[in-house]
């Protein structure tokens, strides 16, 4: 009995990802995301953090609430402080900023940002630093005591 197999059309691989430039582009994204992941305050204050690759091989990062885009640009410049790896590619504002990380352009977009100062002052915002602060003396239970059930 003759059996014919149907072959699915194969998608063409993106050539840009198989080149050294593609590897550098993804390494730059990894470094930026790792730097942001170390900032608990940034992660806790942002909603809907998304990223995508632009048509010109740049990366776009976008979030709601949280810090201003210019504050995130300064934060990334401090965290990725290898000389020549991070340079501002344009003026930053509250809503957008542009960075050049390892020769890869990053466009930062903040939607309805509050700014770092307002995030820290926001009532009800649970901060990890407050939860772990054992030096405060209050009559109420410490946040870390509530976490540990003590």
């Amino acid at each position: 009995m003759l059996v014919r197999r149907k072959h699915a059309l194969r998608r063409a691989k993106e050539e840009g990802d198989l080149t050294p430039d593609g590897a550098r582009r993804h390494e730059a994204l990894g470094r930026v995301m790792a730097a942001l992941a170390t900032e608990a305050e940034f992660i806790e204050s942002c909603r809907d953090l998304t990223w995508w690759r632009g048509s010109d091989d740049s990366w776009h990062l976008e979030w709601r609430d949280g810090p201003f885009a210019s504050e995130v640009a300064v934060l990334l410049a401090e965290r990725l402080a290898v000389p020549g790896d991070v340079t501002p590619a344009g003026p930053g504002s509250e809503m957008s900023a542009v960075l050049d990380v390892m020769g890869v352009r990053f466009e930062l977009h903040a939607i309805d940002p509050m700014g770092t100062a307002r995030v820290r002052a926001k009532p009800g915002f649970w901060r990890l630093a407050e939860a772990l602060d054992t030096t405060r003396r209050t009559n109420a239970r410490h946040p870390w005591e509530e976490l540990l059930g003590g």
Side-chain angles (χ1 to χ4, degrees), residues 17-149:
D17 290 343
L18 300 176
T19 64
D21 287 338
R24 182 178 42 81
R25 188 171 39 252
H26 283 87
E27 181 182 352
L29 175 66
R31 288 185 184 199
V32 166
M33 297 308 282
L36 293 178
T38 62
E39 291 298 316
E41 200 165 87
F42 172 78
I43 297 297
E44 289 177 3
S45 67
C46 291
R47 292 186 307 127
D48 303 329
L49 175 64
T50 59
W51 60 93
W52 65 93
R53 196 169 85 187
S55 61
D56 58 346
D57 293 334
S58 64
W59 288 103
H60 298 257
L61 274 73
E62 184 177 272
W63 63 91
R64 292 187 179 281
D65 300 337
F68 297 130
S70 57
E71 293 173 335
V72 174
V74 169
L75 173 92
L76 289 172
E78 290 172 357
R79 295 292 180 258
L80 303 171
V82 177
D85 273 0
V86 180
T87 56
S93 68
E94 293 179 352
M95 304 294 274
S96 66
V98 179
L99 284 176
D100 185 28
V101 179
M102 298 174 53
V104 179
R105 183 181 172 99
F106 280 82
E107 296 188 20
L108 309 174
H109 304 281
I111 300 172
D112 299 327
M114 295 186 292
T116 305
R118 209 166 126 208
V119 165
R120 288 181 182 151
K122 183 178 175 184
F125 180 67
W126 186 79
R127 294 179 56 213
L128 186 61
E130 290 177 2
L132 299 176
D133 184 11
T134 59
T135 60
R136 285 187 301 141
R137 297 290 172 212
T138 62
N139 292 336
R141 292 175 57 172
H142 293 285
W144 60 270
E145 290 174 323
E146 291 180 23
L147 284 174
L148 299 175

